Amino acid sequence: MPSTAPSVPVPQGQHEPRPNPQALTSNPDPSQNAPTDVDYTPHPASSLNVSPEREAIVKAITNLYSGSASEEDMRVYAEKAVYDDPWSFCDTRYKIAGQWYGIPKLFASTKTLATEIVKSSADTIAWKQTQEYTPKLVHFSKPVNSLVTCTLDEEGKVKYHKDQWNHKDYSHKGLGKVMKTLNGDYLTGVTRPPKDL
């Protein structure tokens, strides 16, 4: 049975990525950077060349951002993976599925417009991404740029997925963390992903 127990603290520094957004994304042309010296707009022509296995990871995750709600795409995550973005903190693959299976329920469409891989090391892959969201209730499309960083386990599965929308990292403290964790813990009851995830 999938774990829906409340989240427990994840030891910080154990496998959480701590990317340096300025170092990874800053544009040589300062006029293209935000005031915080980051440029989250993907430039696909500048994307790093990576192995087919790494390409498959990026493809599976961008499929999920685009509403695939696919069990096959979900298998890119380790069973005890962590997902961390401005709205949610999930500490199992099943809870992460709760987020992705909610995408088709909330959005008329969502599509990845562009990606740029900016880092690929032994246990980390990071890319800039533009995702366009069109809510069901308000048919107004909004593109969102972000920096996605994933750390990988020994089997090449994603064990920590961090999605940053600005230059600030997450503190994992205070009311914001409480709300993120509650969202991660209980959304599966609404979105109902497959139990065998």
Side-chain angles (χ1 to χ4, degrees):
M1 291 290 291
S3 173
T4 55
S7 298
V8 296
V10 173
Q12 300 307 309
Q14 186 180 64
H15 55 244
E16 179 184 3
R18 293 288 187 182
N20 181 329
Q22 285 83 3
L24 287 174
T25 73
S26 184
N27 196 301
D29 179 356
S31 69
Q32 300 300 308
N33 291 325
T36 52
D37 292 326
V38 299
D39 174 19
Y40 280 6
T41 301
H43 306 282
S46 300
S47 189
L48 298 177
N49 291 320
V50 297
S51 67
E53 292 78 13
R54 294 291 175 92
E55 288 181 352
I57 291 170
V58 176
K59 177 62 174 172
I61 291 179
T62 55
N63 285 347
L64 291 164
Y65 275 102
S66 298
S68 73
S70 159
E71 290 187 54
E72 180 180 358
D73 289 332
M74 280 301 308
R75 298 295 175 186
V76 75
Y77 293 103
E79 185 177 355
K80 297 297 184 181
V82 169
Y83 176 85
D84 193 6
D85 77 3
W87 300 102
S88 304
F89 182 89
C90 310
D91 60 4
T92 68
R93 182 171 60 208
Y94 183 69
K95 292 178 187 178
I96 295 171
Q99 307 298 307
W100 294 131
Y101 278 70
I103 293 284
K105 297 179 185 297
L106 291 174
F107 296 97
S109 72
T110 169
K111 53 188 175 182
T112 304
L113 300 182
T115 60
E116 177 193 349
I117 298 172
V118 295
K119 180 179 181 179
S120 182
S121 63
D123 65 350
T124 303
I125 184 166
W127 64 93
K128 297 191 287 186
Q129 175 173 303
T130 300
Q131 194 72 23
E132 183 181 77
Y133 297 95
T134 306
K136 283 187 174 181
L137 296 180
V138 181
H139 284 270
F140 174 79
S141 298
K142 170 70 174 177
V144 176
N145 293 331
S146 65
L147 176 65
V148 178
T149 307
C150 295
T151 55
L152 312 175
D153 65 15
E154 297 78 7
E155 298 179 357
K157 299 281 190 180
V158 174
K159 61 184 179 182
Y160 206 115
H161 174 164
K162 179 177 283 188
D163 186 349
Q164 293 171 264
W165 295 1
N166 58 40
H167 68 289
K168 294 182 180 179
D169 207 344
Y170 305 128
S171 68
H172 302 294
K173 296 178 181 178
L175 181 60
K177 173 57 167 58
V178 171
M179 298 305 295
K180 285 174 53 166
T181 300
L182 287 173
N183 187 23
D185 285 348
Y186 296 109
L187 194 59
T188 53
V190 177
T191 61
R192 301 189 180 281
K195 295 290 186 181
D196 59 355
L197 286 173

